[in-house]
């Protein structure tokens, strides 16, 4: 579920780790907190910056994952916020599962899922200011220079538009 919230809602790792069922309602995900790690222990606090406090649409692809959440999206064994080590183990397990399904090793950073979300949104023609609101960025520059990776699909769509 944590990986899906990063990939399908553009949330940061710390935002996903602080995300609880109570933050998901009215077809929105309310991002108001984030987890930071201090000596491997999770500390719930403010989000990265002011623009990071936001609501994100609860897209249909995420709704099945919401049904499985008791409290935290990725809890530890006792149902509390997981430690950094626990997150790393869960992430490695996720990558191993993907590798088995793919039939070859799969490796990427969890933050790459945020890049994927932004690129897919831009590929679909979603206005950059809407994407900025969804991911909690106040700067177009961050989106355009760091997160948005124009795809072959986007170029094909651009060619079709220009030919019309």
């Amino acid at each position: 579920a944590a990986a899906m919230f990063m990939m399908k809602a553009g949330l940061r790792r710390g935002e996903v780790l602080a995300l609880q069922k109570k933050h998901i309602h009215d077809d929105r995900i309310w991002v108001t907190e984030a987890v930071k790690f201090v000596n491997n222990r999770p500390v719930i606090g403010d989000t990265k910056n002011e623009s990071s406090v936001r609501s994100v649409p609860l897209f249909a692809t995420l709704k099945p994952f919401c049904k499985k959440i008791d409290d935290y999206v990725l809890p530890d064994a006792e149902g509390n916020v997981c430690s950094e080590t626990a997150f790393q183990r869960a992430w490695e397990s996720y990558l191993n599962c993907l590798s088995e399904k793919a039939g070859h090793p799969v490796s990427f950073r969890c933050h790459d899922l945020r890049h994927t979300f932004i690129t897919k949104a831009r590929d679909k023609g979603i206005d950059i200011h809407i994407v900025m609101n969804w991911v909690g960025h106040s700067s177009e520059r961050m989106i355009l220079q760091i997160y948005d990776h124009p795809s072959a699909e986007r170029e094909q769509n651009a060619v079709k538009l220009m030919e019309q």
Side-chain angles (χ1 to χ4, degrees), residues 32-99:
T32 59
E33 304 172 310
V35 167
K36 295 169 182 72
F37 293 106
V38 178
N39 297 326
N40 191 37
R41 296 194 188 282
V43 177
I44 297 178
D46 294 333
T47 57
K48 188 173 182 179
N49 54 48
E50 282 182 22
S51 58
S52 296
V53 176
R54 64 200 187 276
S55 75
V56 180
L58 180 61
F59 299 106
T61 54
L62 285 172
K63 290 184 180 183
F65 296 95
C66 294
K67 294 175 185 171
K68 300 174 185 176
I69 300 169
D70 291 325
D71 190 14
Y72 286 99
V73 170
L74 184 63
D76 68 6
E78 288 83 42
N80 301 311
V81 180
C82 72
S83 67
E84 191 166 23
T85 303
F87 176 81
Q88 285 306 113
R89 274 194 231 118
W91 184 252
E92 289 168 16
S93 175
Y94 175 67
L95 291 178
N96 287 337
C97 182
L98 291 178
S99 296

Side-chain angles (χ1 to χ4, degrees), residues 152-164:
E153 176 188 352
R154 192 180 317 171
E155 184 173 351
Q156 289 170 355
N157 288 337
V159 169
K160 286 177 189 173
L161 286 171
M162 291 302 293
E163 288 177 344
Q164 290 179 352

